[in-house]
Amino acid sequence: MKTHELAKALKALAIILENGPNVNFTENTDLLGVKSKKFSSDELAVNLHTLVALSKIDKRQWTSFISEFNFPINYNDRDSTRNILGKIMSYLDENPNAVSMLKNKTKKNMSTNQSALTEALNILLKD
């Protein structure tokens, strides 16, 4: 990864964090809730705010994302952005191999020009 690519990814993450609630950040805080089973009120607020922010991403970006990663997700033109996001989340929840593929593909794509959405998701999927 080159410094300019990292800078773009950090900017995308900064926007997400800046638009979220101002909570204490400690070593033990898992802002994304990936490893936590039980959330504090602050963590729950951050996670819900992130979902709200993701639901505001343009529907065309989500459909492009589905195509880019060849996810077998059916949607139609009448589906709302939140409906499509829900289908993506359900698919990824039910298919851990798809999550692994997504992580691997985004790592490979870091050397090429990619969307801010892909960059942000790459940051969120880091182990």
Side-chain angles (χ1 to χ4, degrees):
M1 173 184 282
K2 295 187 176 187
T3 56
H4 290 183
E5 293 167 343
L6 177 60
K8 285 171 54 179
L10 289 173
K11 285 178 189 176
L13 180 59
I15 290 169
I16 292 170
L17 292 174
E18 205 170 55
N19 289 323
N22 193 16
V23 296
N24 288 330
F25 182 78
T26 64
E27 227 177 276
N28 299 326
T29 301
D30 182 6
L31 291 176
L32 303 176
V34 174
K35 297 176 184 169
S36 298
K37 300 263 186 206
K38 186 175 181 180
F39 300 109
S40 71
S41 294
D42 288 342
E43 290 170 324
L44 185 58
V46 169
N47 289 322
L48 286 173
H49 188 273
T50 301
L51 280 174
V52 170
L54 288 172
S55 72
K56 291 180 181 178
I57 292 175
D58 185 69
K59 183 163 104 173
R60 287 175 298 211
Q61 281 186 280
W62 284 120
T63 57
S64 175
F65 176 79
I66 291 169
S67 297
E68 179 182 347
F69 289 96
N70 296 315
F71 290 150
I73 298 172
N74 295 323
Y75 58 89
N76 61 51
D77 292 336
R78 294 185 323 223
D79 282 340
S80 68
T81 299
R82 291 179 183 185
N83 192 346
I84 292 172
L85 174 59
K87 289 179 180 188
I88 293 169
M89 291 172 50
S90 294
Y91 174 76
L92 292 174
D93 187 46
E94 295 167 3
N95 296 284
N97 291 337
V99 175
S100 297
M101 184 273 303
L102 181 63
K103 287 180 185 180
N104 291 334
K105 193 165 184 177
T106 55
K107 285 177 187 175
K108 290 176 187 174
N109 287 345
M110 286 307 289
S111 61
T112 62
N113 199 8
Q114 61 182 337
S115 70
L117 175 60
T118 303
E119 290 176 18
L121 286 172
N122 185 46
I123 291 168
L124 297 174
L125 290 170
K126 291 278 188 208
D127 291 326

